[in-house]
Amino acid sequence: MIKRSVFTIIVAAGSGNRCPGPRAKQFLELQGKPIYIWSVKAFQETPCVDGIIVVGPGDDDDALLEMQTLTKTFPKVIKVVAGGNCRTESVSNGIAALRSNCEISKNDPVLIHDGVRPLITPELISQVADQVSPNSIAIPTTTPTATVKKIVGQTITETINRETTGLAQTPQGVPWALLRKAITHWHNHPGVIITDEGSLFENLPAEKREEITMMNVPGDADNLKITFPKDLNRAEAILSEREKLQKNIPDTPYKPRMATGFGYDVHAFAPNRKLILGGVEIPHPFGLDGHSDADVLIHALVDAILGAIGEGDIGHHFPDHDPAHKNRCSLDFLEKTILLVKQRGFYLEAADITVVAEQPKLKPYIQEIKIRLQQSIALPCQLNIKATTSEGLGFTGRREGIAAYAVATVTAT
Ligand code: MG
């Protein structure tokens, strides 16, 4: 897998007029630490994040110096730089700092985060980073809980279906080349008010936005933006609740003596593709559609094994937006998964797989598939493979694709 670098720009340069006090709101304290430090801490603790640029106030040298001192304990912080007169100018300064201090490739995700969202979690940060691809930017949103009205002047003109609306949060993730293109366009067309990276992208002319999708990532209602003084009380309450929860969770996850995982996968038939099942090419007029070789049998098996060792799912380990996995032989995924089983201190004892396909008939290939899988697993284990039809019912019955189910059992070594 090609390793992508993920960089972050934390914007903490505002003056915070709505949260009056002696200092700008990013410097207000939450459980004894400035608000922006909580954001830095969350990105520091997110495994996929490689580097952080913090953008501080451009008009307050003392504050900037203080930020430089306080962020020294976070090894991922590359630089603290001064911001500009508006959010976009501050982001632009962050981009300049990334360009001159980091080795960054055009498809690397850059996550831009408001420093006054201190309750961001490493989980949401990873989910946003995962959704960024050369053709997509990622924005977390939450659905409004109240009924949403359109207001013109002093009149309510309509009720908007809230299910089709989202309240944007940060971090918002943009591939590096696109971010630079959007910021250059903004510099060349001054005067437009930009409130987030989504609107920075929307500000690009239509022809430059073609083929780029803005992906919605389910946001977190607790990822508050500290705007008013009362928001701090809510943030304190959420932090205390999190601490209580953490105290009940042991530091190291429970390691069972034996565990079973379940996997399920589906791929649709497509013309001009080879049909690969269990690493074996099976003669058929259609293959399966997918980013890799679309080996639905191995994908279900890998998911079952990952489930048994408590390691998430195939999409997390082998993302389908990664160019390195284009047309990739899925036996590679199986081999890497078996390596992970060893690294986690487990042994794959047995796996049982059922493939559901109306056509082709798979019975003649089952022994060959078993041998291929056994070669990749490279350790003795009990493998059982079954093929069935769905009696003409559903999508498999209509010969639209193939489904596979798998269970895998591991024991601790
Ligand atoms: Mg699949």
Side-chain angles (χ1 to χ4, degrees):
M1 196 191 327
I2 295 171
K3 167 82 175 83
R4 300 192 303 175
S5 296
V6 177
F7 292 97
T8 296
I9 298 172
I10 296 177
V11 186
S15 56
N17 296 331
R18 280 175 290 181
C19 205
R23 300 201 69 183
K25 60 190 173 181
Q26 64 272 35
F27 298 104
L28 297 179
E29 288 195 353
L30 184 59
Q31 290 195 351
K33 290 191 198 99
I35 288 175
Y36 74 92
I37 286 289
W38 287 95
S39 293
V40 175
K41 183 172 176 282
F43 283 89
Q44 173 68 40
E45 289 170 358
T46 306
C48 72
V49 170
D50 297 285
I52 303 166
I53 299 284
V54 180
V55 186
D59 53 0
D60 187 342
D61 290 346
D62 291 344
L64 208 60
L65 199 65
E66 180 188 308
M67 281 176 133
Q68 281 160 351
T69 310
L70 289 181
T71 53
K72 274 205 175 97
T73 52
F74 298 96
K76 287 184 185 173
V77 173
I78 299 162
K79 210 167 170 81
V80 178
V81 295
N85 290 326
C86 65
R87 186 183 186 281
T88 314
E89 226 176 273
S90 296
V91 170
S92 178
N93 292 2
I95 291 171
L98 267 183
R99 202 175 46 210
S100 45
N101 291 284
C102 307
E103 253 183 56
I104 178 164
S105 308
K106 63 178 184 157
N107 294 333
D108 286 344
V110 179
L111 311 180
I112 298 172
H113 185 63
D114 287 333
V116 288
R117 285 188 186 270
L119 301 181
I120 181 66
T121 60
E123 290 76 24
L124 184 55
I125 294 169
S126 305
Q127 283 159 14
V128 171
D130 280 351
Q131 286 297 323
V132 180
S133 80
N135 297 320
S136 62
I137 68 180
I139 299 177
T141 69
T142 54
T143 306
T145 49
T147 302
V148 181
K149 304 287 186 190
K150 184 171 181 185
I151 300 169
V152 179
Q154 289 194 320
T155 315
I156 292 173
T157 56
E158 64 178 298
T159 300
I160 296 167
N161 178 3
R162 68 176 182 214
E163 297 303 324
T164 62
T165 61
L167 304 173
Q169 301 189 332
T170 69
Q172 298 188 3
V174 188
W176 173 237
L178 181 65
L179 181 63
R180 287 188 59 188
K181 201 189 284 181
I183 208 85
T184 305
H185 183 81
W186 176 80
H187 275 296
N188 294 338
H189 301 81
V192 186
I193 305 286
I194 303 286
T195 50
D196 69 345
E197 283 52 62
S199 42
L200 182 67
F201 165 72
E202 286 165 37
N203 184 46
L204 278 171
E207 68 273 13
K208 289 190 180 170
R209 281 185 273 132
E210 273 172 17
E211 292 175 17
I212 307 281
T213 311
M214 277 197 265
M215 298 299 293
N216 180 38
V217 179
D220 175 3
D222 288 348
N223 181 19
L224 297 183
K225 184 172 184 181
I226 305 293
T227 309
F228 302 105
K230 66 179 185 325
D231 296 333
L232 269 176
N233 299 336
R234 226 182 114 201
E236 291 273 2
I238 293 169
L239 272 183
S240 313
E241 204 50 46
R242 280 187 189 168
E243 267 173 15
K244 262 189 242 162
L245 275 174
Q246 265 171 4
K247 276 181 192 151
N248 290 329
I249 298 169
D251 286 347
T252 48
Y254 177 74
K255 188 179 170 195
R257 281 160 290 175
M258 188 181 90
T260 296
F262 172 74
Y264 170 69
D265 196 29
V266 166
H267 282 263
F269 280 125
N272 307 317
R273 297 264 303 176
K274 287 178 183 168
L275 176 61
I276 312 282
L277 288 175
V280 173
E281 187 178 335
I282 293 172
H284 193 59
F286 299 103
L288 293 174
D289 200 13
H291 182 70
S292 64
D293 64 358
D295 191 328
V296 65
L297 185 156
I298 293 184
H299 294 185
L301 174 60
V302 164
D303 254 356
I305 299 170
L306 290 171
I309 62 169
E311 269 294 332
D313 63 19
I314 189 168
H316 173 73
H317 292 272
F318 312 107
D320 62 7
H321 53 69
D322 190 332
H325 298 147
K326 182 102 182 118
N327 295 324
R328 184 91 174 258
C329 172
S330 295
L331 286 167
D332 289 353
F333 301 155
L334 179 59
E335 283 166 25
K336 290 203 162 64
T337 305
I338 294 296
L339 195 66
L340 201 60
V341 172
K342 278 185 213 161
Q343 286 167 351
R344 294 288 175 276
F346 288 106
Y347 186 91
L348 176 66
E349 297 283 348
D352 183 26
I353 306 158
T354 297
V355 182
V356 187
E358 210 68 24
Q359 282 287 334
K361 295 294 170 214
L362 300 174
K363 208 173 162 204
Y365 304 98
I366 283 182
Q367 193 52 29
E368 197 182 340
I369 291 172
K370 248 186 180 178
I371 293 168
R372 290 306 293 273
L373 296 183
Q374 195 64 70
Q375 282 168 346
S376 287
I377 293 167
L379 286 167
C381 72
Q382 175 179 288
L383 267 185
N384 194 59
I385 300 167
K386 309 188 290 290
T388 187
T389 71
S390 54
E391 300 284 338
L393 299 173
F395 67 90
T396 48
R398 292 190 298 271
R399 304 175 186 202
E400 291 168 6
I402 297 182
Y405 301 83
V407 285
T409 297
V410 296
T411 48
T413 52

